[in-house]
Amino acid sequence: MSKTNQTCSLPEIISFLENRNFDKFRFADDYAYIYNSDGIEIVMEAVDEKITDEVADLAVNALNHLDHCMETAQGMLKRMKGECIGERMIYGICFEHFGYGYETRTSYELGFTISFHYEYDNRIHTVKFNARTFMHGAFAIEEWIQ
């Protein structure tokens, strides 16, 4: 288990995930963190410092299709009302089970998010993808104010 924040290329990160070699990941608060050479934080659900095969397989599949996912995310963001100021930059991708549903009937679904921030704006947009259908596009966008 490494506690460093060294950066790795995207092909290296995919190889680590395929080979289940998690030595380069930093584990904290039930998540595993690694940074690609573009400075993007890649986060994976890792309860008890264990990345499940299900999460690792999704990450490999999605990262191998990252260009397509980014194109889909950018397309959704362009349709949003209200212009953000400055260049849109990706800063994180998170693979996890996320909850949704009404009150006590919360459901959990495996998926991932791609989060963007803006050069001169305090808003963050998080685009959500479902593990089973991500190649068909994202299903939601959340907006956060820093």
Side-chain angles (χ1 to χ4, degrees):
M1 174 172 64
S2 174
K3 296 294 182 193
T4 64
N5 285 341
Q6 73 181 43
T7 62
C8 303
S9 70
L10 194 57
E12 286 175 318
I13 293 170
I14 291 168
S15 176
F16 298 153
L17 291 165
E18 287 174 332
N19 296 311
R20 304 306 195 251
N21 176 4
F22 304 126
D23 293 341
K24 303 280 186 196
F25 289 78
R26 180 179 56 84
F27 291 85
D29 301 322
D30 289 332
Y31 287 91
Y33 301 82
I34 195 165
Y35 298 85
N36 83 354
S37 50
D38 293 327
I40 299 169
E41 181 179 63
I42 299 173
V43 181
M44 276 163 242
E45 182 179 85
V47 177
D48 296 327
E49 297 190 359
K50 291 181 177 82
I51 299 172
T52 65
D53 287 343
E54 179 182 43
V55 171
D57 290 344
L58 170 60
V60 166
N61 194 10
L63 293 173
N64 275 320
H65 295 96
L66 187 57
D67 288 342
H68 174 75
C69 295
M70 291 293 294
E71 184 178 306
T72 299
Q74 298 283 6
M76 282 192 80
L77 290 169
K78 286 179 185 175
R79 291 188 302 240
M80 290 188 63
K81 293 183 180 179
E83 190 172 326
C84 292
I85 303 166
E87 180 185 353
R88 180 184 302 135
M89 299 169 281
I90 181 174
Y91 77 88
I93 304 170
C94 183
F95 300 91
E96 66 181 333
H97 289 85
F98 41 78
Y100 60 93
Y102 289 111
E103 298 175 19
T104 59
R105 299 186 70 206
T106 300
S107 298
Y108 287 91
E109 187 74 40
L110 180 63
F112 63 97
T113 60
I114 302 175
S115 295
F116 299 86
H117 65 98
Y118 299 85
E119 190 175 19
Y120 303 112
D121 203 310
N122 63 347
R123 287 183 278 179
I124 295 172
H125 288 125
T126 298
V127 181
K128 290 187 168 190
F129 294 84
N130 179 290
R132 290 176 283 133
T133 60
F134 78 89
M135 289 301 289
H136 299 290
F139 73 88
I141 297 175
E142 294 178 346
E143 182 175 80
W144 307 87
I145 305 293
Q146 290 181 324

